[in-house]
Amino acid sequence: MMTPTDIGTTIRAARKAQGLRQDELAAAANVGVRFLIELEAGKETAQLGKTLAVLAALGIDVSPTLPDGSGA
C-alpha cells in the first residue's frame, strides 16, 4: 500500500526527472505552489482531485486494483 509520503516522493522524483520546477508543475496542473510543496512532503490531507491533476500533468496514470486483482 502506498502512503502519502510515497506518493509525494514519486511526484518529486518524476518532476525532477522531467526537469520541472515546482512552480512550473503547479502551473501545468492548475494547482498552487503551496499545494504542490505540501503534496511532495507527503501531506495526508491533500485533495484527491488536485493530486490526480498533478499526476496527470506528469503523465503518471493511476489505476486502482481491487483485492481480487482486477482493475476498477
Side-chain angles (χ1 to χ4, degrees):
M1 177 176 96
M2 288 192 79
T3 67
T5 300
D6 295 335
I7 293 170
T9 299
T10 299
I11 289 170
R12 182 180 308 108
R15 175 180 59 78
K16 288 184 175 188
Q18 293 181 32
L20 295 170
R21 297 185 318 259
Q22 286 177 322
D23 63 316
E24 293 171 325
L25 177 55
N30 200 29
V31 300
V33 175
R34 169 60 51 196
F35 173 81
L36 184 58
I37 290 168
E38 291 175 351
L39 181 61
E40 287 187 355
K43 183 176 180 181
E44 293 191 15
T45 57
Q47 293 179 28
L48 181 58
K50 288 183 178 182
T51 300
L52 292 173
V54 170
L55 291 168
L58 289 167
I60 298 173
D61 181 41
V62 178
S63 300
T65 303
L66 297 175
D68 67 1
S70 66

